[in-house]
Amino acid sequence: MAPLVLVHLAVIVYATQQGLSAEAILGRTQGSVMWAGFYGLFVVAAAIHGTIGLRTVLAEMTNWRGRGLDVAMAIFGLGLLVLGLRAVGAVT
């Protein structure tokens, strides 16, 4: 996930230094299979990472264990994935 974060941050720095507007950025990303693939992969990695992290925190801070926690985290992870992929679809 670290390489994806680094590329994302580099893109942000480039866009802000160039003074690109939201319209200009969307003009560059619309229809781009490369950006859709990159950010799609980023969303998948972030959804998995966030779900595993939240599951660990909940298990350590509460008495919640077992199948119930696993199911809740699967639903949470799926929600993150769906929302993230919808956002990628909106800008690519």
Side-chain angles (χ1 to χ4, degrees), residues 46-55 58 64 68-84:
I48 292 169
H49 178 75
T51 302
I52 291 171
L54 181 60
R55 185 188 182 288
L58 286 174
W64 197 7
L69 178 59
D70 293 342
V71 169
M73 291 301 97
I75 293 168
F76 175 78
L78 185 59
L80 282 180
L81 183 63
V82 167
L83 292 172

Side-chain angles (χ1 to χ4, degrees), residues 2-92:
L4 299 171
V5 171
L6 291 175
V7 170
H8 176 65
L9 291 175
V11 168
I12 291 171
V13 169
Y14 173 79
T16 55
Q17 286 182 345
Q18 298 298 314
L20 295 176
S21 66
E23 183 179 357
I25 293 168
L26 287 175
R28 292 177 181 205
T29 61
Q30 291 289 317
S32 173
V33 174
M34 182 198 75
W35 286 118
F38 173 78
Y39 279 109
L41 181 61
F42 197 170
V43 163
V44 170
I48 292 169
H49 178 75
T51 302
I52 291 171
L54 181 60
R55 185 188 182 288
T56 301
V57 168
L58 286 174
E60 287 180 6
M61 294 186 70
T62 69
N63 232 3
W64 197 7
R65 306 273 190 288
R67 188 98 170 119
L69 178 59
D70 293 342
V71 169
M73 291 301 97
I75 293 168
F76 175 78
L78 185 59
L80 282 180
L81 183 63
V82 167
L83 292 172
L85 291 176
R86 285 188 62 191
V88 170
V91 298
T92 57

